[in-house]
Amino acid sequence: MKVIFLILLSFMTKGVLLAGLNFLMVGWFTVTTKLMENVLANAPDGADRAIFWGRILGFVSHPMLWIFILAVNYGNS
């Protein structure tokens, strides 16, 4: 009985943690998308600024992509 309870508890904990992670990811991308919209709408050089901030936010939020970002920037330099 105790084992069944622990298995159910682990599944419930996993579900809560995944729901929280999903909430944080959706919130992060919503905030950054709104930031990009505001930058594009309110600045004469909005596209350049959006690209600049998009690279920074992507670099900070996606550590697994750092190697690709660095490789692209190295290739363009």
Short mmCIF file of all heavy atoms in Angstrom, two decimals:
data_model
loop_
_atom_site.label_atom_id
_atom_site.label_comp_id
_atom_site.label_asym_id
_atom_site.label_seq_id
_atom_site.Cartn_x
_atom_site.Cartn_y
_atom_site.Cartn_z
N MET A 1 0.83 -1.19 0.00
CA MET A 1 0.00 0.00 0.00
C MET A 1 0.88 1.26 0.00
O MET A 1 0.58 2.23 -0.69
CB MET A 1 -0.91 -0.05 1.24
CG MET A 1 -1.93 1.03 1.27
SD MET A 1 -3.12 0.74 -0.04
CE MET A 1 -4.16 2.12 0.17
N LYS A 2 1.94 1.21 0.78
CA LYS A 2 2.84 2.35 0.87
C LYS A 2 3.52 2.60 -0.48
O LYS A 2 3.70 3.75 -0.89
CB LYS A 2 3.88 2.09 1.95
CG LYS A 2 4.74 3.28 2.27
CD LYS A 2 5.80 2.91 3.30
CE LYS A 2 5.54 3.63 4.58
NZ LYS A 2 6.61 3.42 5.57
N VAL A 3 3.87 1.54 -1.19
CA VAL A 3 4.53 1.68 -2.50
C VAL A 3 3.58 2.32 -3.50
O VAL A 3 3.98 3.21 -4.26
CB VAL A 3 5.02 0.30 -2.99
CG1 VAL A 3 5.54 0.40 -4.41
CG2 VAL A 3 6.07 -0.27 -2.06
N ILE A 4 2.34 1.90 -3.50
CA ILE A 4 1.35 2.47 -4.42
C ILE A 4 1.17 3.96 -4.12
O ILE A 4 1.11 4.79 -5.03
CB ILE A 4 0.01 1.71 -4.31
CG1 ILE A 4 0.18 0.28 -4.82
CG2 ILE A 4 -1.08 2.43 -5.09
CD1 ILE A 4 -1.02 -0.59 -4.59
N PHE A 5 1.10 4.29 -2.83
CA PHE A 5 0.97 5.70 -2.45
C PHE A 5 2.17 6.51 -2.93
O PHE A 5 2.02 7.63 -3.44
CB PHE A 5 0.82 5.80 -0.93
CG PHE A 5 0.78 7.21 -0.44
CD1 PHE A 5 -0.33 8.01 -0.67
CD2 PHE A 5 1.85 7.76 0.24
CE1 PHE A 5 -0.37 9.32 -0.24
CE2 PHE A 5 1.83 9.06 0.68
CZ PHE A 5 0.71 9.84 0.45
N LEU A 6 3.38 6.00 -2.77
CA LEU A 6 4.57 6.71 -3.21
C LEU A 6 4.62 6.87 -4.73
O LEU A 6 5.04 7.91 -5.23
CB LEU A 6 5.82 5.99 -2.71
CG LEU A 6 6.08 6.08 -1.20
CD1 LEU A 6 7.27 5.22 -0.82
CD2 LEU A 6 6.28 7.51 -0.78
N ILE A 7 4.18 5.85 -5.45
CA ILE A 7 4.13 5.95 -6.92
C ILE A 7 3.14 7.03 -7.35
O ILE A 7 3.44 7.88 -8.19
CB ILE A 7 3.79 4.58 -7.54
CG1 ILE A 7 4.96 3.62 -7.34
CG2 ILE A 7 3.45 4.73 -9.02
CD1 ILE A 7 4.64 2.18 -7.73
N LEU A 8 1.95 7.02 -6.74
CA LEU A 8 0.95 8.04 -7.06
C LEU A 8 1.46 9.44 -6.69
O LEU A 8 1.26 10.39 -7.45
CB LEU A 8 -0.36 7.75 -6.33
CG LEU A 8 -1.17 6.57 -6.86
CD1 LEU A 8 -2.38 6.30 -5.96
CD2 LEU A 8 -1.62 6.82 -8.28
N LEU A 9 2.11 9.54 -5.55
CA LEU A 9 2.65 10.82 -5.12
C LEU A 9 3.73 11.32 -6.09
O LEU A 9 3.77 12.51 -6.42
CB LEU A 9 3.23 10.70 -3.71
CG LEU A 9 3.71 11.99 -3.06
CD1 LEU A 9 2.55 12.96 -2.89
CD2 LEU A 9 4.36 11.69 -1.73
N SER A 10 4.56 10.43 -6.58
CA SER A 10 5.60 10.85 -7.53
C SER A 10 4.99 11.32 -8.84
O SER A 10 5.45 12.30 -9.42
CB SER A 10 6.59 9.71 -7.76
OG SER A 10 5.99 8.65 -8.46
N PHE A 11 3.94 10.64 -9.33
CA PHE A 11 3.28 11.08 -10.55
C PHE A 11 2.60 12.43 -10.36
O PHE A 11 2.66 13.29 -11.25
CB PHE A 11 2.26 10.05 -11.04
CG PHE A 11 2.87 8.90 -11.78
CD1 PHE A 11 2.75 7.61 -11.32
CD2 PHE A 11 3.57 9.11 -12.96
CE1 PHE A 11 3.31 6.55 -12.00
CE2 PHE A 11 4.13 8.07 -13.66
CZ PHE A 11 4.01 6.77 -13.18
N MET A 12 1.98 12.63 -9.21
CA MET A 12 1.33 13.91 -8.95
C MET A 12 2.36 15.03 -8.85
O MET A 12 2.16 16.12 -9.38
CB MET A 12 0.49 13.83 -7.68
CG MET A 12 -0.75 12.96 -7.83
SD MET A 12 -1.67 12.60 -6.33
CE MET A 12 -1.55 14.05 -5.36
N THR A 13 3.48 14.76 -8.20
CA THR A 13 4.54 15.76 -8.08
C THR A 13 5.10 16.11 -9.45
O THR A 13 5.32 17.28 -9.76
CB THR A 13 5.65 15.23 -7.16
OG1 THR A 13 5.08 14.88 -5.91
CG2 THR A 13 6.73 16.27 -6.97
N LYS A 14 5.32 15.09 -10.27
CA LYS A 14 5.83 15.34 -11.62
C LYS A 14 4.84 16.20 -12.41
O LYS A 14 5.24 17.13 -13.11
CB LYS A 14 6.07 14.01 -12.33
CG LYS A 14 6.61 14.15 -13.72
CD LYS A 14 6.80 12.79 -14.38
CE LYS A 14 7.24 12.94 -15.82
NZ LYS A 14 7.33 11.65 -16.51
N GLY A 15 3.56 15.90 -12.30
CA GLY A 15 2.55 16.69 -13.00
C GLY A 15 2.53 18.14 -12.56
O GLY A 15 2.45 19.05 -13.39
N VAL A 16 2.64 18.38 -11.27
CA VAL A 16 2.64 19.74 -10.75
C VAL A 16 3.90 20.48 -11.22
O VAL A 16 3.83 21.65 -11.64
CB VAL A 16 2.54 19.74 -9.21
CG1 VAL A 16 2.83 21.11 -8.63
CG2 VAL A 16 1.18 19.25 -8.78
N LEU A 17 5.05 19.82 -11.16
CA LEU A 17 6.28 20.47 -11.60
C LEU A 17 6.26 20.79 -13.09
O LEU A 17 6.70 21.86 -13.51
CB LEU A 17 7.48 19.58 -11.25
CG LEU A 17 7.81 19.46 -9.76
CD1 LEU A 17 8.95 18.47 -9.55
CD2 LEU A 17 8.14 20.80 -9.16
N LEU A 18 5.75 19.88 -13.90
CA LEU A 18 5.67 20.14 -15.34
C LEU A 18 4.68 21.26 -15.65
O LEU A 18 4.92 22.07 -16.53
CB LEU A 18 5.28 18.87 -16.09
CG LEU A 18 6.38 17.80 -16.18
CD1 LEU A 18 5.84 16.55 -16.89
CD2 LEU A 18 7.59 18.34 -16.90
N ALA A 19 3.58 21.31 -14.91
CA ALA A 19 2.61 22.40 -15.11
C ALA A 19 3.24 23.74 -14.74
O ALA A 19 3.05 24.74 -15.44
CB ALA A 19 1.36 22.15 -14.28
N GLY A 20 4.00 23.77 -13.65
CA GLY A 20 4.68 25.00 -13.25
C GLY A 20 5.72 25.42 -14.28
O GLY A 20 5.84 26.60 -14.61
N LEU A 21 6.47 24.47 -14.79
CA LEU A 21 7.46 24.78 -15.81
C LEU A 21 6.80 25.30 -17.08
O LEU A 21 7.27 26.27 -17.67
CB LEU A 21 8.29 23.52 -16.12
CG LEU A 21 9.39 23.67 -17.15
CD1 LEU A 21 10.43 24.66 -16.68
CD2 LEU A 21 10.04 22.31 -17.42
N ASN A 22 5.71 24.68 -17.48
CA ASN A 22 4.97 25.14 -18.65
C ASN A 22 4.47 26.57 -18.45
O ASN A 22 4.58 27.41 -19.35
CB ASN A 22 3.81 24.20 -18.93
CG ASN A 22 3.11 24.52 -20.23
OD1 ASN A 22 3.72 25.03 -21.15
ND2 ASN A 22 1.82 24.24 -20.29
N PHE A 23 3.95 26.87 -17.26
CA PHE A 23 3.48 28.22 -16.96
C PHE A 23 4.62 29.23 -17.06
O PHE A 23 4.46 30.31 -17.64
CB PHE A 23 2.88 28.24 -15.55
CG PHE A 23 2.51 29.61 -15.07
CD1 PHE A 23 1.36 30.22 -15.53
CD2 PHE A 23 3.31 30.28 -14.16
CE1 PHE A 23 1.01 31.50 -15.09
CE2 PHE A 23 2.97 31.55 -13.73
CZ PHE A 23 1.82 32.15 -14.20
N LEU A 24 5.79 28.89 -16.52
CA LEU A 24 6.92 29.80 -16.58
C LEU A 24 7.41 30.01 -18.01
O LEU A 24 7.74 31.13 -18.40
CB LEU A 24 8.06 29.27 -15.71
CG LEU A 24 7.82 29.32 -14.20
CD1 LEU A 24 8.96 28.64 -13.47
CD2 LEU A 24 7.65 30.75 -13.73
N MET A 25 7.44 28.94 -18.80
CA MET A 25 7.90 29.08 -20.18
C MET A 25 6.94 29.93 -21.00
O MET A 25 7.37 30.81 -21.74
CB MET A 25 8.06 27.69 -20.82
CG MET A 25 9.24 26.93 -20.32
SD MET A 25 9.65 25.46 -21.28
CE MET A 25 8.11 24.63 -21.42
N VAL A 26 5.64 29.69 -20.85
CA VAL A 26 4.66 30.48 -21.61
C VAL A 26 4.73 31.94 -21.17
O VAL A 26 4.71 32.85 -22.00
CB VAL A 26 3.24 29.90 -21.41
CG1 VAL A 26 2.19 30.85 -21.96
CG2 VAL A 26 3.13 28.54 -22.08
N GLY A 27 4.87 32.18 -19.87
CA GLY A 27 4.99 33.54 -19.37
C GLY A 27 6.24 34.23 -19.90
O GLY A 27 6.20 35.38 -20.32
N TRP A 28 7.37 33.51 -19.92
CA TRP A 28 8.62 34.08 -20.42
C TRP A 28 8.49 34.49 -21.88
O TRP A 28 8.84 35.59 -22.27
CB TRP A 28 9.75 33.08 -20.24
CG TRP A 28 11.02 33.49 -20.90
CD1 TRP A 28 11.51 33.01 -22.07
CD2 TRP A 28 11.95 34.47 -20.46
NE1 TRP A 28 12.70 33.63 -22.39
CE2 TRP A 28 12.99 34.53 -21.41
CE3 TRP A 28 12.01 35.31 -19.36
CZ2 TRP A 28 14.07 35.40 -21.27
CZ3 TRP A 28 13.08 36.18 -19.23
CH2 TRP A 28 14.10 36.21 -20.18
N PHE A 29 7.93 33.59 -22.71
CA PHE A 29 7.83 33.91 -24.13
C PHE A 29 6.78 34.98 -24.39
O PHE A 29 6.93 35.78 -25.31
CB PHE A 29 7.54 32.65 -24.94
CG PHE A 29 8.73 31.73 -25.02
CD1 PHE A 29 8.71 30.48 -24.47
CD2 PHE A 29 9.90 32.16 -25.63
CE1 PHE A 29 9.82 29.65 -24.53
CE2 PHE A 29 11.02 31.35 -25.70
CZ PHE A 29 10.97 30.09 -25.14
N THR A 30 5.74 35.05 -23.56
CA THR A 30 4.76 36.12 -23.72
C THR A 30 5.38 37.48 -23.41
O THR A 30 5.21 38.44 -24.16
CB THR A 30 3.56 35.87 -22.78
OG1 THR A 30 2.97 34.62 -23.09
CG2 THR A 30 2.52 36.97 -22.93
N VAL A 31 6.14 37.55 -22.33
CA VAL A 31 6.78 38.82 -21.95
C VAL A 31 7.79 39.24 -23.02
O VAL A 31 7.83 40.40 -23.43
CB VAL A 31 7.45 38.69 -20.56
CG1 VAL A 31 8.38 39.86 -20.30
CG2 VAL A 31 6.39 38.59 -19.49
N THR A 32 8.61 38.31 -23.48
CA THR A 32 9.62 38.68 -24.47
C THR A 32 8.98 39.04 -25.80
O THR A 32 9.47 39.94 -26.50
CB THR A 32 10.65 37.55 -24.65
OG1 THR A 32 9.98 36.34 -24.99
CG2 THR A 32 11.46 37.35 -23.40
N THR A 33 7.88 38.38 -26.16
CA THR A 33 7.19 38.72 -27.40
C THR A 33 6.61 40.12 -27.32
O THR A 33 6.71 40.91 -28.26
CB THR A 33 6.07 37.71 -27.69
OG1 THR A 33 6.65 36.41 -27.79
CG2 THR A 33 5.37 38.03 -29.00
N LYS A 34 6.00 40.46 -26.19
CA LYS A 34 5.46 41.81 -26.01
C LYS A 34 6.59 42.85 -26.03
O LYS A 34 6.43 43.93 -26.57
CB LYS A 34 4.67 41.91 -24.70
CG LYS A 34 3.37 41.15 -24.72
CD LYS A 34 2.44 41.69 -25.78
CE LYS A 34 1.14 40.93 -25.84
NZ LYS A 34 0.31 41.33 -26.96
N LEU A 35 7.73 42.51 -25.45
CA LEU A 35 8.87 43.42 -25.49
C LEU A 35 9.30 43.67 -26.94
O LEU A 35 9.55 44.81 -27.34
CB LEU A 35 10.03 42.83 -24.68
CG LEU A 35 11.34 43.62 -24.73
CD1 LEU A 35 11.18 44.98 -24.07
CD2 LEU A 35 12.46 42.82 -24.08
N MET A 36 9.36 42.61 -27.73
CA MET A 36 9.76 42.76 -29.13
C MET A 36 8.74 43.61 -29.90
O MET A 36 9.12 44.45 -30.71
CB MET A 36 9.89 41.39 -29.82
CG MET A 36 11.04 40.54 -29.33
SD MET A 36 12.63 41.30 -29.62
CE MET A 36 13.06 41.82 -27.98
N GLU A 37 7.45 43.40 -29.63
CA GLU A 37 6.43 44.20 -30.30
C GLU A 37 6.58 45.67 -29.96
O GLU A 37 6.47 46.54 -30.83
CB GLU A 37 5.03 43.72 -29.90
CG GLU A 37 4.65 42.39 -30.51
CD GLU A 37 3.30 41.91 -30.04
OE1 GLU A 37 2.64 42.61 -29.24
OE2 GLU A 37 2.90 40.81 -30.46
N ASN A 38 6.84 45.98 -28.70
CA ASN A 38 6.99 47.36 -28.28
C ASN A 38 8.25 47.98 -28.89
O ASN A 38 8.24 49.14 -29.31
CB ASN A 38 7.04 47.47 -26.75
CG ASN A 38 5.70 47.17 -26.13
OD1 ASN A 38 4.67 47.33 -26.76
ND2 ASN A 38 5.72 46.73 -24.90
N VAL A 39 9.32 47.22 -28.95
CA VAL A 39 10.56 47.73 -29.55
C VAL A 39 10.34 48.03 -31.02
O VAL A 39 10.75 49.06 -31.54
CB VAL A 39 11.72 46.72 -29.34
CG1 VAL A 39 12.90 47.06 -30.23
CG2 VAL A 39 12.14 46.70 -27.89
N LEU A 40 9.67 47.11 -31.72
CA LEU A 40 9.44 47.31 -33.15
C LEU A 40 8.49 48.47 -33.41
O LEU A 40 8.66 49.21 -34.38
CB LEU A 40 8.87 46.03 -33.77
CG LEU A 40 9.88 44.93 -34.04
CD1 LEU A 40 9.15 43.65 -34.39
CD2 LEU A 40 10.81 45.32 -35.16
N ALA A 41 7.50 48.65 -32.56
CA ALA A 41 6.48 49.66 -32.81
C ALA A 41 6.95 51.07 -32.47
O ALA A 41 6.49 52.03 -33.10
CB ALA A 41 5.23 49.34 -32.00
N ASN A 42 7.86 51.21 -31.53
CA ASN A 42 8.15 52.54 -30.99
C ASN A 42 9.52 53.10 -31.35
O ASN A 42 9.85 54.19 -30.93
CB ASN A 42 8.02 52.52 -29.45
CG ASN A 42 6.61 52.17 -29.03
OD1 ASN A 42 5.65 52.56 -29.68
ND2 ASN A 42 6.48 51.42 -27.96
N ALA A 43 10.31 52.38 -32.10
CA ALA A 43 11.65 52.87 -32.40
C ALA A 43 11.85 52.92 -33.91
O ALA A 43 11.42 52.03 -34.64
CB ALA A 43 12.69 51.94 -31.79
N PRO A 44 12.51 53.98 -34.40
CA PRO A 44 12.75 54.06 -35.84
C PRO A 44 13.67 52.94 -36.34
O PRO A 44 13.52 52.48 -37.46
CB PRO A 44 13.41 55.43 -36.03
CG PRO A 44 13.80 55.88 -34.67
CD PRO A 44 12.96 55.16 -33.68
N ASP A 45 14.60 52.51 -35.49
CA ASP A 45 15.45 51.38 -35.86
C ASP A 45 15.00 50.13 -35.10
O ASP A 45 15.81 49.36 -34.58
CB ASP A 45 16.92 51.69 -35.57
CG ASP A 45 17.17 52.01 -34.10
OD1 ASP A 45 16.18 52.33 -33.40
OD2 ASP A 45 18.32 51.93 -33.66
N GLY A 46 13.68 49.94 -35.06
CA GLY A 46 13.10 48.87 -34.26
C GLY A 46 13.56 47.48 -34.66
O GLY A 46 13.76 46.62 -33.80
N ALA A 47 13.73 47.23 -35.95
CA ALA A 47 14.13 45.89 -36.38
C ALA A 47 15.53 45.56 -35.87
O ALA A 47 15.76 44.45 -35.37
CB ALA A 47 14.10 45.81 -37.90
N ASP A 48 16.45 46.53 -35.94
CA ASP A 48 17.80 46.28 -35.43
C ASP A 48 17.79 46.04 -33.93
O ASP A 48 18.48 45.15 -33.43
CB ASP A 48 18.72 47.46 -35.75
CG ASP A 48 18.97 47.61 -37.24
OD1 ASP A 48 18.87 46.58 -37.95
OD2 ASP A 48 19.24 48.73 -37.69
N ARG A 49 17.00 46.82 -33.23
CA ARG A 49 16.93 46.64 -31.77
C ARG A 49 16.28 45.30 -31.42
O ARG A 49 16.69 44.64 -30.47
CB ARG A 49 16.14 47.78 -31.14
CG ARG A 49 16.88 49.08 -31.12
CD ARG A 49 16.14 50.09 -30.29
NE ARG A 49 16.81 51.37 -30.32
CZ ARG A 49 16.43 52.39 -29.57
NH1 ARG A 49 15.40 52.29 -28.79
NH2 ARG A 49 17.10 53.52 -29.64
N ALA A 50 15.24 44.92 -32.17
CA ALA A 50 14.57 43.64 -31.89
C ALA A 50 15.52 42.48 -32.13
O ALA A 50 15.54 41.52 -31.36
CB ALA A 50 13.32 43.50 -32.77
N ILE A 51 16.32 42.55 -33.19
CA ILE A 51 17.30 41.50 -33.44
C ILE A 51 18.32 41.46 -32.31
O ILE A 51 18.66 40.38 -31.80
CB ILE A 51 17.99 41.72 -34.81
CG1 ILE A 51 16.99 41.48 -35.94
CG2 ILE A 51 19.20 40.81 -34.96
CD1 ILE A 51 17.47 41.93 -37.29
N PHE A 52 18.80 42.62 -31.90
CA PHE A 52 19.79 42.70 -30.81
C PHE A 52 19.24 42.07 -29.52
O PHE A 52 19.86 41.19 -28.92
CB PHE A 52 20.17 44.16 -30.59
CG PHE A 52 21.05 44.40 -29.41
CD1 PHE A 52 22.39 44.03 -29.45
CD2 PHE A 52 20.55 44.98 -28.26
CE1 PHE A 52 23.21 44.25 -28.35
CE2 PHE A 52 21.36 45.20 -27.16
CZ PHE A 52 22.70 44.83 -27.21
N TRP A 53 18.05 42.52 -29.10
CA TRP A 53 17.47 41.99 -27.86
C TRP A 53 17.05 40.54 -28.02
O TRP A 53 17.10 39.76 -27.06
CB TRP A 53 16.31 42.86 -27.40
CG TRP A 53 16.78 44.12 -26.76
CD1 TRP A 53 16.72 45.38 -27.28
CD2 TRP A 53 17.44 44.23 -25.50
NE1 TRP A 53 17.31 46.27 -26.42
CE2 TRP A 53 17.75 45.61 -25.32
CE3 TRP A 53 17.81 43.32 -24.51
CZ2 TRP A 53 18.40 46.07 -24.18
CZ3 TRP A 53 18.45 43.79 -23.39
CH2 TRP A 53 18.74 45.14 -23.23
N GLY A 54 16.60 40.17 -29.19
CA GLY A 54 16.25 38.77 -29.43
C GLY A 54 17.44 37.85 -29.26
O GLY A 54 17.34 36.76 -28.69
N ARG A 55 18.61 38.29 -29.74
CA ARG A 55 19.81 37.48 -29.56
C ARG A 55 20.19 37.39 -28.09
O ARG A 55 20.56 36.32 -27.60
CB ARG A 55 20.98 38.09 -30.34
CG ARG A 55 20.87 37.83 -31.82
CD ARG A 55 22.06 38.41 -32.54
NE ARG A 55 21.98 38.13 -33.97
CZ ARG A 55 22.84 38.59 -34.86
NH1 ARG A 55 23.83 39.37 -34.47
NH2 ARG A 55 22.71 38.30 -36.12
N ILE A 56 20.08 38.50 -27.37
CA ILE A 56 20.41 38.48 -25.94
C ILE A 56 19.45 37.57 -25.18
O ILE A 56 19.87 36.71 -24.39
CB ILE A 56 20.41 39.90 -25.36
CG1 ILE A 56 21.60 40.69 -25.92
CG2 ILE A 56 20.45 39.87 -23.84
CD1 ILE A 56 21.61 42.14 -25.52
N LEU A 57 18.15 37.75 -25.41
CA LEU A 57 17.17 36.94 -24.68
C LEU A 57 17.28 35.46 -25.07
O LEU A 57 17.15 34.58 -24.22
CB LEU A 57 15.75 37.46 -24.97
CG LEU A 57 15.45 38.84 -24.40
CD1 LEU A 57 14.12 39.35 -24.93
CD2 LEU A 57 15.44 38.80 -22.88
N GLY A 58 17.54 35.19 -26.34
CA GLY A 58 17.72 33.81 -26.75
C GLY A 58 18.96 33.20 -26.13
O GLY A 58 18.96 32.04 -25.72
N PHE A 59 20.01 33.98 -26.04
CA PHE A 59 21.26 33.49 -25.46
C PHE A 59 21.08 33.17 -23.98
O PHE A 59 21.57 32.16 -23.49
CB PHE A 59 22.36 34.54 -25.64
CG PHE A 59 23.74 34.05 -25.34
CD1 PHE A 59 24.44 33.30 -26.26
CD2 PHE A 59 24.34 34.34 -24.13
CE1 PHE A 59 25.71 32.85 -26.00
CE2 PHE A 59 25.62 33.89 -23.85
CZ PHE A 59 26.30 33.14 -24.79
N VAL A 60 20.34 34.03 -23.29
CA VAL A 60 20.14 33.83 -21.85
C VAL A 60 19.17 32.69 -21.58
O VAL A 60 19.38 31.89 -20.67
CB VAL A 60 19.61 35.14 -21.21
CG1 VAL A 60 19.14 34.90 -19.80
CG2 VAL A 60 20.69 36.21 -21.25
N SER A 61 18.12 32.57 -22.40
CA SER A 61 17.06 31.61 -22.07
C SER A 61 17.28 30.22 -22.66
O SER A 61 16.58 29.30 -22.28
CB SER A 61 15.71 32.15 -22.55
OG SER A 61 15.70 32.25 -23.95
N HIS A 62 18.23 30.06 -23.57
CA HIS A 62 18.43 28.76 -24.21
C HIS A 62 19.89 28.35 -24.17
O HIS A 62 20.58 28.42 -25.18
CB HIS A 62 17.96 28.79 -25.67
CG HIS A 62 16.51 29.13 -25.82
ND1 HIS A 62 15.51 28.28 -25.43
CD2 HIS A 62 15.89 30.22 -26.28
CE1 HIS A 62 14.33 28.84 -25.67
NE2 HIS A 62 14.54 30.02 -26.18
N PRO A 63 20.36 27.91 -23.01
CA PRO A 63 21.78 27.54 -22.92
C PRO A 63 22.20 26.46 -23.91
O PRO A 63 23.35 26.45 -24.35
CB PRO A 63 21.92 27.03 -21.48
CG PRO A 63 20.78 27.64 -20.75
CD PRO A 63 19.68 27.80 -21.74
N MET A 64 21.30 25.57 -24.29
CA MET A 64 21.66 24.51 -25.23
C MET A 64 21.95 25.07 -26.62
O MET A 64 22.61 24.43 -27.42
CB MET A 64 20.54 23.46 -25.31
CG MET A 64 20.34 22.69 -24.03
SD MET A 64 21.80 21.76 -23.55
CE MET A 64 21.77 20.47 -24.76
N LEU A 65 21.45 26.26 -26.91
CA LEU A 65 21.67 26.85 -28.22
C LEU A 65 22.90 27.76 -28.27
O LEU A 65 23.20 28.32 -29.31
CB LEU A 65 20.43 27.65 -28.65
CG LEU A 65 19.16 26.83 -28.87
CD1 LEU A 65 18.01 27.76 -29.20
CD2 LEU A 65 19.35 25.80 -29.95
N TRP A 66 23.58 27.91 -27.15
CA TRP A 66 24.72 28.84 -27.11
C TRP A 66 25.76 28.49 -28.16
O TRP A 66 26.29 29.37 -28.83
CB TRP A 66 25.37 28.82 -25.74
CG TRP A 66 24.55 29.48 -24.68
CD1 TRP A 66 23.33 30.07 -24.84
CD2 TRP A 66 24.88 29.60 -23.31
NE1 TRP A 66 22.88 30.54 -23.64
CE2 TRP A 66 23.81 30.28 -22.69
CE3 TRP A 66 25.97 29.22 -22.54
CZ2 TRP A 66 23.82 30.58 -21.33
CZ3 TRP A 66 25.97 29.51 -21.20
CH2 TRP A 66 24.90 30.19 -20.60
N ILE A 67 26.04 27.21 -28.33
CA ILE A 67 27.08 26.81 -29.28
C ILE A 67 26.69 27.21 -30.70
O ILE A 67 27.53 27.65 -31.49
CB ILE A 67 27.39 25.31 -29.16
CG1 ILE A 67 28.60 24.93 -30.01
CG2 ILE A 67 26.18 24.46 -29.56
CD1 ILE A 67 29.89 25.50 -29.52
N PHE A 68 25.39 27.10 -31.03
CA PHE A 68 24.94 27.47 -32.37
C PHE A 68 24.96 28.98 -32.57
O PHE A 68 25.33 29.47 -33.63
CB PHE A 68 23.55 26.90 -32.64
CG PHE A 68 23.50 25.40 -32.57
CD1 PHE A 68 22.89 24.76 -31.52
CD2 PHE A 68 24.11 24.64 -33.56
CE1 PHE A 68 22.86 23.37 -31.45
CE2 PHE A 68 24.09 23.26 -33.50
CZ PHE A 68 23.48 22.63 -32.44
N ILE A 69 24.56 29.72 -31.53
CA ILE A 69 24.60 31.18 -31.62
C ILE A 69 26.03 31.65 -31.80
O ILE A 69 26.32 32.52 -32.63
CB ILE A 69 23.95 31.81 -30.37
CG1 ILE A 69 22.44 31.49 -30.34
CG2 ILE A 69 24.16 33.32 -30.35
CD1 ILE A 69 21.77 31.82 -29.03
N LEU A 70 26.93 31.06 -31.02
CA LEU A 70 28.34 31.44 -31.15
C LEU A 70 28.89 31.08 -32.52
O LEU A 70 29.65 31.84 -33.12
CB LEU A 70 29.15 30.78 -30.04
CG LEU A 70 28.87 31.29 -28.62
CD1 LEU A 70 29.59 30.43 -27.59
CD2 LEU A 70 29.26 32.74 -28.47
N ALA A 71 28.50 29.93 -33.03
CA ALA A 71 28.99 29.51 -34.33
C ALA A 71 28.48 30.44 -35.43
O ALA A 71 29.24 30.82 -36.34
CB ALA A 71 28.56 28.07 -34.61
N VAL A 72 27.22 30.83 -35.38
CA VAL A 72 26.67 31.73 -36.40
C VAL A 72 27.35 33.09 -36.32
O VAL A 72 27.73 33.67 -37.34
CB VAL A 72 25.14 31.86 -36.22
CG1 VAL A 72 24.59 33.01 -37.05
CG2 VAL A 72 24.46 30.56 -36.60
N ASN A 73 27.52 33.60 -35.10
CA ASN A 73 28.17 34.90 -34.95
C ASN A 73 29.62 34.83 -35.41
O ASN A 73 30.12 35.78 -35.99
CB ASN A 73 28.07 35.38 -33.50
CG ASN A 73 26.66 35.83 -33.15
OD1 ASN A 73 25.90 36.21 -34.02
ND2 ASN A 73 26.33 35.76 -31.89
N TYR A 74 30.29 33.73 -35.13
CA TYR A 74 31.68 33.58 -35.59
C TYR A 74 31.74 33.52 -37.10
O TYR A 74 32.61 34.13 -37.71
CB TYR A 74 32.29 32.31 -34.97
CG TYR A 74 33.70 32.05 -35.42
CD1 TYR A 74 34.74 32.79 -34.88
CD2 TYR A 74 33.97 31.08 -36.38
CE1 TYR A 74 36.05 32.56 -35.29
CE2 TYR A 74 35.28 30.85 -36.80
CZ TYR A 74 36.31 31.59 -36.25
OH TYR A 74 37.59 31.37 -36.67
N GLY A 75 30.79 32.83 -37.70
CA GLY A 75 30.77 32.71 -39.16
C GLY A 75 30.48 34.03 -39.85
O GLY A 75 30.90 34.27 -40.98
N ASN A 76 29.74 34.92 -39.16
CA ASN A 76 29.38 36.21 -39.76
C ASN A 76 30.38 37.30 -39.46
O ASN A 76 30.23 38.42 -39.94
CB ASN A 76 27.99 36.66 -39.25
CG ASN A 76 26.89 35.81 -39.83
OD1 ASN A 76 27.04 35.25 -40.90
ND2 ASN A 76 25.79 35.71 -39.11
N SER A 77 31.41 37.01 -38.68
CA SER A 77 32.36 38.07 -38.31
C SER A 77 33.51 38.14 -39.30
O SER A 77 33.71 37.32 -40.16
CB SER A 77 32.91 37.82 -36.91
OG SER A 77 33.63 36.61 -36.88
#
